[in-house]
Amino acid sequence: MARLRTALTCVILTYMFALFGYGLARYPDAPLHPCTDAGYCGKQGQLHTQRQYDQFRWWQSAFEWSWPIGMLALYLLNQAKFQRRFAPSA
């Protein structure tokens, strides 16, 4: 059971950091937002297309839903370790 718990922890962590890294590399000027008639702009003023904006919104939604769920799953998988580590010593 401990091996399964460790494997699941590694898979969840890998997914979470891969998703974060993808967004960091793909959208360095995030957040994208509508601007003037030109289309969409990033934080630094670069222009983006409708497709890029839609992809950014998809990534942002996936990130916002995945991270809290992933953190909860990691806590539940490793709850015993947290309780031992942070328990008051007698």
Side-chain angles (χ1 to χ4, degrees), residues 32-74:
L32 303 184
H33 55 85
C35 65
T36 66
D37 295 331
Y40 299 91
C41 298
K43 186 171 27 178
Q44 301 165 345
Q46 294 102 328
L47 294 177
H48 295 277
T49 64
Q50 173 72 40
R51 184 170 186 233
Q52 289 171 326
Y53 178 73
D54 291 339
Q55 290 172 345
F56 169 75
R57 296 289 296 176
W58 182 90
W59 170 81
Q60 187 177 29
S61 293
F63 182 77
E64 289 173 353
W65 281 98
S66 296
W67 269 72
I69 293 170
M71 295 297 285
L72 179 63
L74 289 172

